[in-house]
Amino acid sequence: MASKKPFLIKKILVSQPKPKDRISPYSELEKKFKLKVKLQPFIEIEGLSVRDIRLQKINIMSFSAIIFNSRLSIDHFFRICEQMRITIPNTMKYFCVSEAVSYYLQKYTTYRKRKIYVAAKTFSDLVEIMKKHESEKFLFPGAEKINTKFTSLLDESNINYTRAVFFKTIPKKLNVKTLPHNMLVFFSPIGIESLFFNFPDFEQNNIKIAVFGETTKKMADKFNLNVDLQVPNSKHLSMISALNEYLKNAK
């Protein structure tokens, strides 16, 4: 009996935007496995208005510290401050989930003159730092949907914080009619929703699906998608690393 022909992956669609200032991190995969990786964002960001912020009863000047878990949260926080004509005092403290996020603050403020605290690795590390500043009143600006682990850690630590929605993620209308790809890679639940928003009759068939995060996996399950690769896992923390091994085995 003839052996079954192995499934070959030649085209991968990654639901992320193309990097503006550097080479695509997927370039090495393209060379190594002789395939094509297309970066196509499936979601877009919509900033809330000043009126939306006021409806949440958020008075920015009543807070003494800000929690930033992404560059987007920094962008939209300072956008709202500018629109409200608010000048942030030098006494404001910033608590950032990573060095990359903290360095991004330089776009809006003089870094060396600010009180900035950075997590060693995880949001849990950041919460431990925040516990040492129990007298502060924290504002946590971000998207409408956030990792519930973040808020759970803050609640368990009895930190005085207020969540505020400064922007939201929505499905992006794509200028493509077909998906001639062997594999689709998603990084958020809204990415999965956007797939069916753009392709209501989408059928997976032999298309492989890779997802990042448990919430993305749950959304894939909701739409009855078969997930072939989930990251993080016991071996890999990044999608690039996991794809490298997956493609090696698929080959």
Side-chain angles (χ1 to χ4, degrees):
M1 184 177 177
S3 60
K4 187 177 179 181
K5 187 177 180 180
F7 182 84
L8 298 178
I9 297 176
K10 292 295 184 182
K11 292 183 179 180
I12 299 177
L13 180 63
V14 178
S15 59
Q16 283 189 326
K18 296 178 182 178
K20 295 180 180 179
D21 55 353
R22 58 188 175 88
I23 298 173
S24 166
Y26 296 92
S27 298
E28 288 301 316
L29 291 181
E30 289 184 302
K31 295 176 184 176
K32 184 175 181 179
F33 297 102
K34 295 180 174 58
L35 51 80
K36 180 65 177 177
V37 178
K38 180 180 180 180
L39 289 120
Q40 167 68 63
F42 271 57
I43 64 174
E44 57 186 349
I45 305 300
E46 185 178 275
L48 269 64
S49 68
V50 168
R51 181 175 181 274
D52 294 325
I53 302 303
R54 286 176 175 153
L55 285 173
Q56 296 177 63
K57 297 181 179 178
I58 300 297
N59 177 8
I60 293 174
M61 295 305 290
S62 69
F63 296 92
S64 59
I66 314 293
I67 306 168
F68 288 128
N69 71 320
S70 71
R71 295 180 181 184
L72 275 173
S73 62
I74 293 176
D75 281 335
H76 288 279
F77 171 77
F78 283 99
R79 172 183 63 82
I80 289 295
C81 287
E82 181 179 1
Q83 291 176 0
M84 287 184 166
R85 294 186 174 86
I86 291 174
T87 301
I88 303 297
N90 293 339
T91 54
M92 184 70 79
K93 296 179 180 179
Y94 302 101
F95 291 76
C96 303
V97 74
S98 68
E99 283 193 359
V101 171
S102 71
Y103 290 150
Y104 192 69
L105 276 170
Q106 294 178 90
K107 181 177 178 181
Y108 298 98
T109 187
T110 306
Y111 194 83
R112 59 186 175 80
K113 292 184 179 180
R114 295 292 184 261
K115 296 178 180 178
I116 300 171
Y117 305 87
V118 184
K121 290 183 179 179
T122 66
F123 193 83
S124 179
D125 296 330
L126 186 62
V127 170
E128 290 303 312
I129 296 173
M130 292 167 66
K131 285 180 181 179
K132 299 174 183 177
H133 299 264
E134 57 182 18
S135 63
E136 305 297 342
K137 186 178 179 183
F138 293 89
L139 176 65
F140 191 3
E144 81 284 18
K145 294 179 181 178
I146 194 171
N147 190 331
T148 54
K149 182 181 178 182
F150 294 168
T151 51
S152 294
L153 284 168
L154 291 169
D155 292 337
E156 291 166 6
S157 302
N158 294 317
I159 289 171
N160 181 14
Y161 80 100
T162 298
R163 266 275 292 139
V165 179
F166 275 57
F167 63 93
K168 59 183 179 179
T169 49
I170 59 176
K172 180 181 178 67
K173 181 63 177 176
L174 305 180
N175 293 320
V176 292
K177 295 183 179 180
T178 61
L179 291 174
H181 302 86
N182 310 115
M183 188 174 205
L184 306 178
V185 183
F186 296 98
F187 290 83
S188 72
I190 295 179
I192 301 286
E193 290 179 342
S194 181
L195 171 65
F196 287 90
F197 170 76
N198 285 279
F199 304 97
D201 301 320
F202 175 79
E203 293 184 8
Q204 184 173 356
N205 297 321
N206 290 325
I207 297 174
K208 306 299 180 184
I209 301 289
V211 299
F212 189 94
E214 190 60 37
T215 55
T216 310
K217 170 66 164 59
K218 288 179 180 177
M219 186 60 73
D221 292 340
K222 181 179 178 180
F223 282 96
N224 297 315
L225 295 176
N226 178 49
V227 174
D228 301 276
L229 177 63
Q230 182 180 353
V231 183
N233 56 44
S234 58
K235 285 187 176 181
H236 306 282
L237 295 178
S238 74
M239 184 61 74
I240 295 287
S241 171
L243 279 173
N244 184 68
E245 181 173 316
Y246 184 87
L247 292 168
K248 185 168 60 178
N249 293 333
K251 185 179 179 181

